[in-house]
Amino acid sequence: MAAAATAQLALDGSGIDGSLFTSVTDFARDTRWLNTPMEVWTNLGLGVFAILMIAGWWTARRRGPQAMTVALAAPVAVLTAFAAAEVVKKLVAEVRPCRSMPHAYLVDTCPAPSDYAFPSGHATVAAATVAALFLLDRRLSAVAAVFAVLEGFSRVYVGAHYPHDVLGSAAVALPVAFLVSSALRRWATPLVGFLSHGSLRPLLTTELTATTAPARQAASAGDPL
């Protein structure tokens, strides 16, 4: 009873770009051979963004405290953007297209009525990763952008979201993630620099400490320690 009342109060987004949504889902109907790969990608593909952030952390170890700070800020920025998107999702309360347009061809299973559509959580994670990596490595950010476009398209392809849900995700995620990364780069770099000289040094930098470097040089030369 409560679920039905919630569904009645929720926003119907089909009037915004419902025709474009059905064009994409009709394409999904015509490419059934692609349904399973796209359904697998739309969920497991989020792991690619995690791998890109790990790659950013790995390369930042050679670039100093500021780069490492941005690398460590990336997952924080993504989680913050996702949380912001969830707040927007509850406020907008847009019903999923599988409920407002049940006649459309749907690859994905229809979620519970309380799981709203705008903005897309998956697309938010993807777009936030692009913004979070932008200050760290433009090439990694560009690679993330390509996968983010694919992730956004897949959300519409499987019938989980309208196109404007995906665009709304970018509108929320890009500025939030960029601002969080920028703020942490400014505020947390001294802390990361300090920690780089302690027990966390192997995780934060590849630079040798003042005491370690001569010891390794002596060992490589065959001198007794």
Side-chain angles (χ1 to χ4, degrees):
M1 190 71 177
T6 301
Q8 291 177 355
L9 293 174
L11 173 69
D12 184 354
S14 60
I16 300 175
D17 51 9
S19 59
L20 181 56
F21 170 79
T22 53
S23 295
V24 177
T25 56
D26 286 347
F27 173 70
R29 178 188 289 114
D30 296 336
T31 55
R32 295 178 187 269
W33 57 270
L34 190 57
N35 287 183
T36 297
M38 289 294 277
E39 189 171 20
V40 171
W41 162 259
T42 200
N43 292 309
L44 298 184
L46 293 180
V48 171
F49 301 103
I51 292 173
L52 289 173
M53 285 188 280
I54 292 173
W57 159 77
W58 184 258
T59 59
R61 294 170 65 244
R62 301 190 298 270
R63 296 172 53 193
Q66 187 176 79
M68 177 52 68
T69 302
V70 178
L72 295 176
V76 178
V78 172
L79 289 175
T80 303
F82 182 81
E86 287 298 299
V87 172
V88 174
K89 183 175 289 190
K90 295 298 182 183
L91 292 175
V92 176
E94 179 190 73
V95 68
R96 291 272 184 168
C98 60
R99 299 188 182 280
S100 58
M101 303 186 71
H103 56 280
Y105 179 78
L106 304 172
V107 177
D108 207 14
T109 303
C110 194
S114 59
D115 187 353
Y116 297 120
F118 181 90
S120 164
H122 288 67
T124 295
V125 170
T129 304
V130 175
L133 291 176
F134 184 78
L135 293 174
L136 176 65
D137 189 315
R138 300 291 173 84
R139 289 174 296 181
L140 283 178
S141 181
V143 172
V146 173
F147 285 116
V149 171
L150 179 58
E151 180 65 29
F153 176 77
S154 73
R155 299 309 289 158
V156 183
Y157 181 95
V158 301
H161 289 281
Y162 296 108
H164 69 264
D165 297 335
V166 174
L167 294 178
S169 301
V172 172
L174 291 175
V176 170
F178 183 83
L179 289 174
V180 170
S181 292
S182 299
L184 289 176
R185 180 178 65 173
R186 172 181 293 183
W187 298 332
T189 295
L191 175 61
V192 173
F194 173 77
L195 294 175
S196 297
H197 299 289
S199 59
L200 295 178
R201 183 178 57 81
L203 297 176
L204 302 178
T205 182
T206 58
E207 295 181 359
L208 301 178
T209 63
T211 56
T212 305
R216 289 197 177 182
Q217 291 173 359
S220 63
D223 297 335
L225 298 178

